[in-house]
């Protein structure tokens, strides 16, 4: 039984942050002009867990949140979406759950993320050693987890435990420079995490960064994708993506939509792609459904609240002209 076939169990352990989002209403309003703000669950790992849950899978989140109303909000939101908070630990002290304030607009879009003394960076070995990894279909995590300690070492430990349990490790590179003390450290750390992963998703700039040279990211993705036991998704924004497994490449475009905002697309793609793989769909269909999920999400306010379910993805695909023609980079 191959590792990737275990995805069929559709039960995922997701490691990483949850946060609170604020966005002004109505859509198009600048933060500075806002008088009514809506709240929603955010944070890359929490969003991915919610996406999986909305698409028929099971998910449990491993993270730490602050002992305050914002931490309580995140816990309750996870439960509301059907994500288990069994492995969410509440911590005291001056650490705070992250807060994002962003606009539902494309032109001159502004996002502010408050990550000082971030509570999720206090995730420790005890947190990732609590779950029984063999009972899960895969472990999912993102690059944000590795930006600081003790979270970084805990993230590596989670990957080791997943490998010991012979379940796939799914990794979204998710490089965010503001979270790191240096680019050199980030490159070293994210390269190690990618080497420990079975499914790797990232955009062209992130792969370039991990490769250590501008323009070298696609070669790295192709090198990593030589194995039939690995899947690499190399995203190129509006140009589409290249998905590689066993040396075979699938180039796909995107679903063109009138976006309301740029946020949430990556997490939505990840959730839609993983859930489709777990449902046993062909790889090309998994890419299509992940792309559809991303396209839907950017047309709605919020992140977790904007994530679609299977019915909404089906309706979107059936009513859309289809994926654009991919624009491949020069060899």
């Amino acid at each position: 039984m191959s590792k990737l076939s275990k995805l069929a169990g559709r039960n995922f352990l997701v490691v990483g942050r949850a946060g609170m989002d604020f966005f002004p209403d109505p859509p198009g309003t600048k933060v500075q002009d806002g008088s009514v703000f809506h709240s929603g669950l955010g944070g890359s790992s929490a969003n991915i867990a919610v996406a999986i849950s909305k698409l028929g899978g099971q998910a449990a989140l491993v993270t730490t949140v602050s002992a305050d109303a914002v931490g309580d909000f995140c816990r309750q939101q996870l439960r509301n979406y059907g994500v288990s908070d069994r492995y969410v630990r509440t911590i005291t002290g001056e650490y705070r759950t992250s807060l994002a304030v962003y606009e539902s607009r494309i032109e001159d879009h502004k996002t502010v993320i408050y990550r000082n003394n971030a509570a999720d960076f206090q995730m420790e070995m005890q947190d990732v050693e609590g779950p029984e990894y063999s009972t899960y279909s895969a472990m999912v995590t993102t690059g944000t987890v590795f930006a600081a300690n003790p979270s970084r070492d805990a993230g590596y430990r989670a990957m080791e435990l997943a490998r010991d349990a012979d379940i796939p490790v799914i990794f979204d590179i998710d490089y965010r420079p503001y979270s790191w003390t240096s680019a050199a450290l980030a490159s070293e750390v994210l390269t190690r995490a990618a080497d420990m992963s079975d499914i790797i998703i990232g955009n062209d700039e992130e792969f370039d960064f991990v490769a250590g040279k501008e323009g070298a990211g696609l070669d790295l993705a192709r090198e990593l994708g030589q194995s039939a036991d690995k899947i690499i998704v190399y995203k190129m924004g509006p140009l589409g993506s290249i998905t590689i497994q066993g040396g075979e490449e699938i180039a796909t475009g995107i679903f063109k939509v009138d976006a309301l905002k740029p946020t949430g697309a990556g997490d939505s793609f990840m959730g839609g792609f993983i859930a489709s793989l777990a449902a046993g769909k062909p790889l090309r269909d998994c890419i299509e459904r992940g792309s559809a999920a991303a396209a839907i999400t950017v047309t709605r306010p919020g992140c977790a609240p904007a994530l679609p379910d299977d019915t909404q993805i089906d309706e979107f695909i059936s009513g859309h002209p289809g994926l654009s023609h991919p624009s491949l980079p020069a060899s």
Side-chain angles (χ1 to χ4, degrees), residues 174-196:
D174 193 30
Y175 173 55
R176 309 198 181 198
Y178 60 79
S179 293
W180 294 82
T181 56
S182 77
L185 175 63
S187 181
E188 176 187 341
V189 168
L190 295 175
T191 297
R192 178 180 170 188
D195 287 342
M196 299 174 71

Side-chain angles (χ1 to χ4, degrees), residues 9-307:
R10 306 184 78 177
N11 186 17
F12 296 87
L13 188 68
V14 185
V15 178
R17 69 188 177 101
M20 188 177 194
D21 290 353
F22 279 148
F23 41 96
D25 189 67
T29 303
K30 295 181 179 181
V31 168
Q32 67 198 48
D33 297 327
S35 58
V36 175
F37 285 75
H38 289 294
S39 63
L41 179 67
S44 50
S45 293
N47 288 336
I48 293 167
V50 169
I52 289 169
S53 180
K54 283 189 174 185
L55 294 169
Q58 293 179 285
L61 186 68
V62 182
T63 194
T64 45
V65 297
S66 49
D68 54 27
V70 178
D72 293 343
F73 172 88
C74 292
R75 274 186 175 278
Q76 187 59 54
Q77 287 291 303
L78 289 167
R79 296 186 195 113
N80 291 349
Y81 286 115
V83 176
S84 172
D85 69 337
R86 177 181 177 184
Y87 302 114
V88 177
R89 181 167 62 94
T90 299
I91 61 173
T92 57
E94 295 303 312
Y95 304 108
R96 293 290 178 262
T97 301
S98 61
L99 173 67
V101 183
Y102 54 82
E103 299 166 338
S104 298
R105 48 189 278 122
I106 294 294
E107 185 178 359
D108 298 325
H109 173 87
K110 292 182 180 179
T111 296
V112 181
I113 301 180
Y114 295 92
R115 296 277 289 149
N116 296 336
N117 296 320
D120 56 280
F121 281 153
Q122 299 309 306
M123 183 175 64
E124 299 176 352
M125 295 292 187
Q126 62 173 310
D127 299 304
V128 299
E129 291 176 347
E132 179 55 60
Y133 285 71
S134 62
T135 64
Y136 290 93
S137 310
M139 182 216 126
V140 185
T141 193
T142 76
T144 308
V145 168
F146 298 87
N149 264 323
S151 177
R152 178 185 306 141
D153 288 343
Y156 284 143
R157 179 59 175 154
M159 285 182 160
E160 290 171 354
L161 291 167
R163 294 175 72 180
D164 290 346
D166 200 35
I167 63 171
V169 174
I170 303 172
F171 179 54
D172 186 341
I173 298 173
D174 193 30
Y175 173 55
R176 309 198 181 198
Y178 60 79
S179 293
W180 294 82
T181 56
S182 77
L185 175 63
S187 181
E188 176 187 341
V189 168
L190 295 175
T191 297
R192 178 180 170 188
D195 287 342
M196 299 174 71
S197 302
D198 303 289
I199 299 176
I200 306 169
I201 298 176
N203 62 38
D204 43 7
E205 292 180 355
E206 289 170 335
F207 272 101
D208 279 358
F209 180 76
V210 173
K213 181 182 177 183
E214 186 175 352
L218 182 54
D219 287 340
L220 173 63
R222 285 171 169 155
E223 179 183 338
L224 292 169
Q226 286 303 304
S227 169
D229 296 324
K230 286 184 180 288
I231 298 174
I232 312 300
V233 182
Y234 178 87
K235 298 187 294 184
M236 302 176 292
L239 302 181
S241 64
I242 300 173
T243 303
I244 310 165
Q245 183 180 27
E248 298 293 323
E249 298 184 9
I250 300 174
T252 52
I254 64 166
F255 287 101
K256 294 183 178 180
V257 295
D258 291 326
L260 181 66
K261 65 180 197 321
T263 53
D267 300 336
S268 188
F269 176 90
M270 176 73 129
F273 180 74
I274 293 170
S276 299
L277 280 175
K281 297 184 183 298
L283 186 56
R284 185 178 291 274
D285 290 353
C286 295
I287 304 161
E288 180 184 47
R289 295 183 73 80
S291 299
I296 293 168
T297 299
V298 298
T299 64
R300 300 171 170 178
C303 283
L307 300 169

